[in-house]
Amino acid sequence: LTKCGTASLTQSIFGSEADNTLGPSPAPGHTNQVLNNSLIPGCVSEPTRVATLSTDDRIPTELLVNPGLTGPRYSGQILLIHKKRGLGAGKINGPGGRIDPGETPEACAIREIQEELCVTPLRPRPAGELRFQFTDGYSLHGYVFCADDIEGEPQETDEAKPLWTPLDAIPYERMWADDRIWFPHLLNGQEFTGRFLFDGDSMLGYEVETLPR
């Protein structure tokens, strides 16, 4: 992704230098934070909320297997991947990819893990919904699913290398910056929504809301 850090876009999301205002106060259940106020004209140290983000038609899904719930075969671990190509190549994240025309997010999550790791998730269920805005105008709207078990054994493919990871050793330093924000909710079995502002790989701000159980 191209880094451009457009000031006008940053100001439109976080408040302008002219009026020095912030967004409304966080609602109950939200976790809000601005990570680098020096990049945001007129922003003070108090947290602010990310405004509604636009989306495009390239919608990714992500599926996490055995997120610390009831998976019988791999207790205490989660199945991640080392991504080998495409957006985020070189990073660690969950299996996933783009929704095909006419495909549901759940069907996409199942297909993608089959293609990337040659396994089939059992009883996948929704876990979260994420929206991303980049300062160069690029935006994404994604869905997160989780499953407690799989059929088959994960295999490396041209797209991804499987990585069983202990739940107490998630390699956040090798993942997208937003993962450390919403992963704890996933591991706690708490459904969530999130919005994130990025400049390239750098996260500038976020809003996360947990949903009632």
Side-chain angles (χ1 to χ4, degrees):
L1 295 173
T2 303
K3 292 186 179 182
C4 65
T6 306
S8 60
L9 176 58
T10 303
Q11 290 174 356
S12 70
I13 294 175
F14 287 100
S16 68
E17 187 172 13
D19 60 19
N20 197 30
T21 58
L22 296 174
S25 300
H30 285 69
T31 303
N32 299 336
Q33 185 177 4
V34 173
L35 299 183
N36 192 340
N37 292 335
S38 64
L39 298 178
I40 304 169
C43 187
V44 297
S45 59
E46 181 180 345
T48 185
R49 297 180 63 193
V50 179
T52 301
L53 304 180
S54 62
T55 61
D56 64 11
D57 60 356
R58 293 168 289 187
I59 305 176
T61 64
E62 191 166 12
L63 192 147
L64 290 304
V65 175
N66 190 21
L69 300 175
T70 59
R73 290 199 292 164
Y74 303 101
S75 179
Q77 297 186 93
I78 186 170
L79 179 59
L80 302 175
I81 63 169
H82 182 268
K83 192 169 178 63
K84 297 167 68 173
R85 66 187 187 191
L87 180 65
K91 294 184 181 293
I92 291 174
N93 54 18
R98 308 290 185 178
I99 296 176
D100 286 342
E103 189 176 41
T104 66
E106 180 178 336
C108 173
I110 294 171
R111 174 182 55 78
E112 285 288 345
I113 195 171
Q114 289 172 335
E115 293 176 354
E116 292 185 347
L117 298 179
C118 304
V119 297
T120 298
L122 302 180
R123 299 173 298 279
R125 58 192 179 279
E129 191 169 341
L130 305 172
R131 296 172 186 265
F132 300 90
Q133 181 69 58
F134 292 82
T135 56
D136 62 2
Y138 185 70
S139 60
L140 291 170
H141 179 188
Y143 301 87
V144 180
F145 291 84
C146 61
D148 297 330
D149 206 354
I150 53 175
E151 187 176 83
E153 293 296 329
Q155 301 177 37
E156 183 173 356
T157 65
D158 291 341
E159 296 185 59
K161 180 178 181 179
L163 183 66
W164 283 108
T165 305
L167 295 176
D168 60 357
I170 304 294
Y172 290 119
E173 71 281 357
R174 299 176 61 191
M175 303 167 72
W176 284 99
D178 61 279
D179 288 343
R180 68 173 63 245
I181 306 300
W182 57 265
F183 251 64
H185 299 304
L186 175 84
L187 299 179
N188 288 332
Q190 182 73 61
E191 202 166 348
F192 56 88
T193 63
R195 294 170 177 168
F196 303 88
L197 176 65
F198 273 83
D199 179 10
D201 279 0
S202 299
M203 186 170 65
L204 305 182
Y206 67 84
E207 173 192 77
V208 172
E209 179 179 5
T210 56
L211 306 181
R213 292 182 184 271

